[in-house]
Amino acid sequence: MTPAEIRAAIIEILETIAPDEDLSNLDDAKEFRDQMELDSMDFLDIVMELRKRYRVQVPEEDYANLVSMQSTVSYLEPKMADLPAE
Amino acid sequence: MYDSIIIGAGMSGLAAGIRAAYYDQKVCVLERHYTIGGLNSFYRLRGRNYDVGLHAVTNFTPPGAKKGPFARLLRQLRMKWDDFGLSPQLMSSISFPGVELQFDNNIDLLRSEVAKEFPAQIDHFDRLISSLLDYDDLEQKHFEISTRERLQEIITDPLLVEMILCPIMWYGNPREKDMDWGQFCIMFRSLFLEGFARPFDGVRLILKKLVRKFRDLGGELKLRTGVSQIKIDHGRAVGVVLDSGEELTGKNILSSAGAVETFKLCETDEDVHAHTTGQLSFVEAISTLDTYPRELGHNKTIVFYNDSEKFHWERPTEDFCDVRTGVVCTPNNYCYDEKDGELPDGIMRVTALADYERWRNTNQDNYQAEKTKWFEAVQASAARFVPDYRSHVIDTDMFTPHTIHRFTWHENGAVYGATRKWLDGTTAINNLFLCGTDQGFVGIIGSIVSGISMANQHLLARS
């Protein structure tokens, strides 16, 4: 998966978690927490969805990498690069 | 073998079930009644739909709000704001003899009413609001300190103290006379800083959506499936014995049956905290009218009334009911969407305090006679605070503490549960947890949040 495809995959997960949210204006550099008010349980759900959908494991000590779209994509890039695009 | 066994298919049990099912657990929700809902259920009688419990969904926040318990639960259940179909209230009031405070879903109305009726108290009232905004409901520090003492430090007019306490105690205080400060702060926010709303179709809409979600995710809901025993082996819960005698095994058990009710199911010597059993129960007199309440000049959503300067929040000791204080709910008086139109009938629901023991112990004939008698007394009491609708009644129903106990199995018919709460949901048995009313959150949104957070903390962390 390319970084753009990984981003699209994250957007899909966020859409499931917050179906009312308009994600078209998401600022990739800003923290999810500030833009969407996500709390720690929501992050756990993102991690769970990554595991369910892509078999990607995010260990607890790496959760800090998931703060914004930018940091999430760069963190996941090496883990998801070998996955085929959907 | 289940990953999680959940006792009770009310708001909290179903919400917990959804969370467990999202995490691919093998999970079942067991309900003794033939229908879902628990303390917030519904029924049909003589062709009409009735809600039990739900007067108003509190914690209402408008679409787009990202903060607060309602927004949080939507994300956790992956539901849309529209799924709850909530329409906000018109306007409500706290009515005492000669003085009334109106409020709606914007705190400015209540503030201006306090400024008008209690001009010397408005700065104190503002101070109260900022002090309860400071209360951290996640940390739960000082949860159990006295609300009356705290309020008297801030508000110096005793009448205003009673008027503030009346609606808040009515909508969720399990303790007699006084209230836990933590509970007060949470409730004040949910009533006055967030607000009231109702789905046009009532509580059944929310419950049915929860059940559908749970089943779609692979969860098993078993109705008419009471739990008669929680099996304990070497300090661990290993499963449950059903009323039918069948046994189910599970890794974790989450119970919304109530704390004392749950401990009684366990075959241990644990003190079941008899003294913490709630004492407060209610009757509700429900009237269907031949007209809409607004045609009689009644435009309020909820009226909390009390007929003297002192508000008495106690189990009645002298008689079957205490009608000095009550709540009038008018389900017609919400801002429903135009496409929904009007509810089919005008409805007035009046709730009053009642003594479980008297209702429980009276014989069948006398039970009916007392019901008739107290239906009249409750309505007469309410008619002092809302337009008198008694000549317009075309159908009635009434529930008593005995009814509540019969369908929810909550001790004493105590709607708000035990007088102490198990805020972290843990018990002496390390894989048995509590959610729902006795964990500490009340109301529809509160119960759902309880189920979600207890499942997150105790069921998911261990899977």
Side-chain angles (χ1 to χ4, degrees), chain B residues 110 153 178 196 198 293 318 325 378 392 404:
Chain B
L110 180 60
E153 284 164 21
D178 204 346
F196 294 169
R198 180 182 185 274
E318 307 292 315
T325 180
V378 168
H392 295 273
I404 298 169

Side-chain angles (χ1 to χ4, degrees), chain B residues 150-217:
Chain B
R150 283 290 286 138
L151 278 181
Q152 280 156 16
E153 284 164 21
I154 303 171
I155 308 272
T156 51
D157 187 324
L159 177 59
L160 182 56
V161 170
E162 301 295 314
M163 290 187 80
I164 294 170
L165 284 173
C166 173
I168 294 182
M169 288 201 180
W170 258 113
Y171 269 12
N173 182 18
R175 281 177 62 187
E176 292 182 283
K177 298 185 175 76
D178 204 346
M179 183 168 190
D180 290 339
W181 175 245
Q183 189 84 339
F184 175 85
C185 292
I186 293 169
M187 296 288 305
F188 189 101
R189 285 184 224 163
S190 74
L191 268 64
F192 298 126
L193 302 180
E194 293 165 346
F196 294 169
R198 180 182 185 274
F200 182 78
D201 292 321
V203 72
R204 71 200 66 214
L205 175 92
I206 300 173
L207 286 164
K208 283 177 178 171
K209 293 229 162 140
L210 293 176
V211 167
R212 193 176 312 144
K213 185 136 251 183
F214 177 60
R215 285 192 161 137
D216 286 350
L217 290 163

